Amino acid sequence: MLDPFIYLVSGVLKLWHLLLNSVLGLDDSTAWVLALIGLVVTVRGLIAPFSWMQMRTARTSVIMRPELAALNAEYADRTDKESVAEHERRRKELSRRYNHRPAAGCVPMLIQIPVFIGLYRTVLQMARPSENLEVAPDTRIGFLNAEEITAFLNAEIRGIPLPAYLSMPQEMLAQLGTTRDEVRGFILPIVILAVIFTTANLAGSIYRNLETLDWESSLARGTQKMLIGMTVLVPFLLLSLTFFGPIPVAIVLYWFANNLWTLVQTALIRVVVSRKMPLDDDYRREHRATREKVRGELRERRTQKWDVRRRQAAGAVQPWKIPEIRRELQAERVQQREKTAAEKARRKEIARAKQEARSQLTKERLEANRRKRQEKKARSSNQPAEPAASDEPDRGPSATD
């Protein structure tokens, strides 16, 4: 399942190594280290245009959000076929006017995750081609042959082998010509810097999201909370993987370079997007108003929950009031359930009616396209065929015959 990713990463590494070692004449160790940096340059260079599109698309969706919200509110309760068709048409016009392409935001992640998976599997197999670090003549990892794998096993940076990692058995580290203390002393500052870059990237995402968060979306609020949690947990997770997991020095170097590139690239794109597509004062006012409205609703819900808990606690102090408190709470629950069920049924009915209208519109479009094809076919079949060059009328015998 992971073979395509391994072939992709190993192919890029091999091309960079051949360029640096065979063409430019660098030694194997330097060539392999720079090949890892070349992999970062290749991958990030490929997805840089998509990263720009991703941030531009996100900013576009933020700028058009007030108009889209007003449009959706205008057609929220209109379920007739004409209104549904007009709503779809106006939404498409709005997207075209802002040149909004939401699918572009998924491309960087779709490229970067497979590459990192392929890199991890490739480097891990290169670091441990066998139990005793011996490379058989017929060993292959993706596009890399046994000779190139052996060269990678012997590659070093400042005396530390690229395939070494902290949880590697001491005997294997000795075979590579190093010790756990030497590996730890080399990768510790690099890992700390990589963690700082990663945390800075996550913190920047949190700040950008707060500036443009859709407060009325519970999914957006939940995603923001998850991102804050990740900012706290990810550094500990990465440090744990480095010290206790099979994370070779080569992957640590790639991780360091990749996160540094991401931090700089994101900052530059952020500056350009903010200048080209600034958020105006009207948006900021509406954003603050929506935030305060949602926060007020959330505070009201918390107040109601604490009121229920307060009355339940009062029943423990005044047991004779427990039946009355239970009746009150039960009545409030029933009333709230009925209200929620009625609102849910209303929304469900509106959604069902709109879906039926969309189905009718789709059938009408298909029928119209079918009629057009039939009319086009009928017109083409009714056109008289042009006479060929050999189909000239017989003019009888010539004068010379």
Side-chain angles (χ1 to χ4, degrees):
M1 181 178 178
L2 296 177
D3 285 348
F5 304 150
I6 293 175
Y7 274 95
L8 172 66
V9 172
S10 63
V12 175
L13 285 174
K14 182 168 184 171
L15 289 175
W16 276 104
H17 182 263
L18 288 174
L19 173 66
L20 296 167
N21 180 251
S22 302
V23 178
L24 300 182
L26 299 180
D27 61 90
D28 270 331
S29 294
T30 306
W32 277 116
V33 172
L34 294 180
L36 293 170
I37 307 301
L39 180 64
V40 175
V41 173
T42 303
V43 174
R44 300 304 304 190
L46 285 175
I47 68 175
F50 297 105
S51 298
W52 159 257
M53 292 171 62
Q54 180 185 32
M55 195 165 289
R56 183 183 179 281
T57 299
R59 179 55 66 95
T60 302
S61 64
V62 169
I63 293 175
M64 64 183 285
R65 187 188 299 160
E67 291 186 51
L68 183 60
L71 183 62
N72 292 335
E74 181 181 350
Y75 290 90
D77 298 329
R78 297 166 65 174
T79 59
D80 58 285
K81 186 171 61 176
E82 292 76 13
S83 296
V84 171
E86 186 179 1
H87 186 200
E88 291 182 357
R89 178 183 60 79
R90 291 180 64 180
R91 286 188 63 176
K92 290 180 181 178
E93 288 178 355
L94 184 64
S95 296
R96 281 196 297 268
R97 178 153 53 89
Y98 282 96
N99 194 24
H100 184 236
R101 298 175 182 176
C106 305
V107 175
M109 195 63 67
L110 293 177
I111 295 178
Q112 197 168 354
I113 289 179
V115 169
F116 185 79
I117 294 174
L119 173 72
Y120 179 76
R121 296 299 304 171
T122 302
V123 174
L124 195 59
Q125 290 184 34
M126 292 169 69
R128 297 189 64 175
S130 63
E131 291 298 327
N132 53 4
L133 294 180
E134 293 183 358
V135 183
D138 59 345
T139 302
R140 294 194 67 88
I141 300 175
F143 290 106
L144 300 173
N145 55 35
E147 182 180 353
E148 290 163 335
I149 297 170
T150 303
F152 176 81
L153 286 172
N154 296 326
E156 298 179 348
I157 176 172
R158 297 183 64 181
I160 305 299
L162 291 182
Y165 51 90
L166 285 176
S167 61
M168 179 177 280
Q170 192 64 48
E171 297 79 9
M172 298 180 69
L173 289 172
Q175 284 185 259
L176 292 174
T178 188
T179 63
R180 185 170 287 109
D181 291 337
E182 291 177 348
V183 175
R184 183 185 298 110
F186 174 76
I187 69 171
L188 184 59
I190 299 176
V191 169
I192 291 175
L193 287 175
V195 168
I196 291 173
F197 297 153
T198 304
T199 306
N201 285 324
L202 291 172
S205 298
I206 292 173
Y207 174 77
R208 291 191 299 271
N209 288 350
L210 281 176
E211 189 180 23
T212 59
L213 183 65
D214 184 5
W215 284 92
E216 293 185 334
S217 171
S218 58
L219 177 61
R221 298 197 304 269
T223 303
Q224 180 73 350
K225 291 179 181 179
M226 182 180 68
L227 191 59
I228 293 174
M230 287 177 58
T231 305
V232 177
L233 294 177
V234 163
F236 296 99
L237 176 62
L238 296 179
L239 288 172
S240 299
L241 287 174
T242 302
F243 284 95
F244 304 107
I247 307 295
V249 172
I251 291 182
V252 173
L253 293 174
Y254 175 86
W255 179 29
F256 169 83
N258 185 65
N259 281 279
L260 176 59
W261 181 297
T262 302
L263 182 64
V264 176
Q265 175 183 280
T266 303
L268 293 176
I269 294 178
R270 166 73 175 173
V271 171
V272 175
V273 169
S274 298
R275 290 184 178 179
K276 287 182 173 293
M277 308 172 67
L279 300 176
D280 56 19
D281 294 336
D282 292 337
Y283 168 81
R284 296 184 185 279
R285 282 194 296 268
E286 183 174 354
H287 185 260
R288 285 194 296 267
T290 304
R291 180 186 60 192
E292 294 304 321
K293 174 188 172 184
V294 173
R295 284 180 173 177
E297 293 174 352
L298 295 175
R299 280 195 298 268
E300 184 178 354
R301 292 178 189 176
R302 288 194 296 268
T303 301
Q304 292 175 354
K305 289 181 180 180
W306 279 108
D307 181 62
V308 170
R309 292 171 183 170
R310 180 185 59 78
R311 285 186 285 174
Q312 289 174 340
V317 180
Q318 301 172 323
W320 60 89
K321 290 188 176 181
I322 291 179
E324 180 183 354
I325 294 173
R326 286 179 176 174
R327 285 193 299 269
E328 291 178 357
L329 294 177
Q330 182 63 24
E332 292 176 3
R333 292 193 192 100
V334 170
Q335 183 180 4
Q336 184 62 33
R337 280 198 298 266
E338 290 176 351
K339 182 179 178 181
T340 303
E343 179 63 20
K344 185 177 180 180
R346 186 184 72 85
R347 293 181 179 179
K348 187 176 181 180
E349 179 62 24
I350 291 175
R352 184 192 61 79
K354 287 187 175 183
Q355 184 59 41
E356 289 181 357
R358 292 190 189 97
S359 299
Q360 292 179 6
L361 289 171
T362 302
K363 290 179 181 178
E364 290 178 1
R365 293 191 190 104
L366 292 175
E367 181 63 24
N369 291 335
R370 187 183 64 82
R371 286 198 300 267
K372 287 180 180 179
R373 287 194 299 268
Q374 290 179 346
E375 292 173 0
K376 184 178 180 180
K377 185 177 180 181
R379 286 195 302 268
S380 62
S381 62
N382 291 334
Q383 289 179 356
E386 296 182 0
S390 60
D391 294 340
E392 296 181 357
D394 188 7
R395 302 183 181 182
S398 62
T400 59
D401 291 342

